[in-house]
Amino acid sequence: DSLLKTSHIQVLDYCTPSVFNLDENLGISRVEFGDIDNSSAEGKLGYNNYLSLSTDVEVGKSYDLTIERTSATKEMTRKAWIDWNVDGDFDDAGELVASEAAATTTSFTATITVPGTLSEGRTRLRVATNYKNLKNSACGPHQFGEFEDYTVIITKDVTAPVITLTGVVVDNIEV
């Protein structure tokens, strides 16, 4: 006798990150990625669960991720991870998708290319900040900063290619 599973649920136990000291100068005021454009209060919570906000991304395509804050009086690091292989962590090669070293900028933008070998499905984007050069890891704990999670839906490549002819087109027709 044998048993064939055709459908099953995989429960993932993502870590819940933590921050010891809240500081609105080291928080996240806005995240933009694909269809996600979320503004939030800075430094009010160490972790914000925005998994109800999602965007579709196509394998092989590139998307800009922008992480903003309103004040740049303190140096801050920013990082973002996507759990591409949907294993419940952000430790695997290529899952750190954006990183800014300690800087006094209000906005940081990185271009993220979705790997072409992924399966379709839902996964998680995590954005994190911390003070200066303090460790900025996907699960924390952080001395300062903030974390935000979003849903990313990986889809197959459905964008039709665009073919552009350049130069002079020579065409001969015999009758």
Side-chain angles (χ1 to χ4, degrees), residues 151-168:
T151 298
V152 174
I153 302 166
I154 301 165
T155 67
K156 63 183 176 182
D157 180 358
V158 294
T159 302
V162 175
I163 300 172
T164 305
L165 297 176
T166 57
V168 178

Side-chain angles (χ1 to χ4, degrees), residues 64-84:
D64 283 342
L65 167 68
T66 300
I67 306 164
E68 297 178 356
R69 63 176 170 165
T70 55
S71 169
T73 58
K74 297 179 181 178
E75 285 186 68
M76 179 175 82
T77 62
R78 298 173 218 206
K79 287 187 178 179
W81 300 262
I82 298 179
D83 182 18
W84 292 127

Side-chain angles (χ1 to χ4, degrees), residues 45-105:
L45 295 171
Y47 171 67
N48 291 289
N49 180 332
Y50 294 118
L51 292 172
S52 62
L53 302 177
S54 66
T55 188
D56 291 359
V57 296
E58 294 179 33
V59 295
K61 303 295 182 220
S62 296
Y63 301 86
D64 283 342
L65 167 68
T66 300
I67 306 164
E68 297 178 356
R69 63 176 170 165
T70 55
S71 169
T73 58
K74 297 179 181 178
E75 285 186 68
M76 179 175 82
T77 62
R78 298 173 218 206
K79 287 187 178 179
W81 300 262
I82 298 179
D83 182 18
W84 292 127
N85 63 354
V86 195
D87 66 348
D89 65 46
F90 303 98
D91 300 340
D92 303 297
E95 291 186 338
L96 175 61
V97 294
S99 179
E100 179 187 43
T104 54
T105 56

Side-chain angles (χ1 to χ4, degrees), residues 17-29:
S18 62
V19 174
F20 294 122
N21 300 295
L22 299 176
D23 184 334
E24 58 190 42
N25 292 308
L26 300 170
I28 302 165
S29 66

Side-chain angles (χ1 to χ4, degrees), residues 104-126:
T104 54
T105 56
T106 56
S107 183
F108 165 69
T109 299
T111 301
I112 298 169
T113 301
V114 181
T117 57
L118 300 177
S119 300
E120 294 180 68
R122 300 172 83 81
T123 191
R124 186 175 296 209
L125 161 67
R126 176 162 292 166

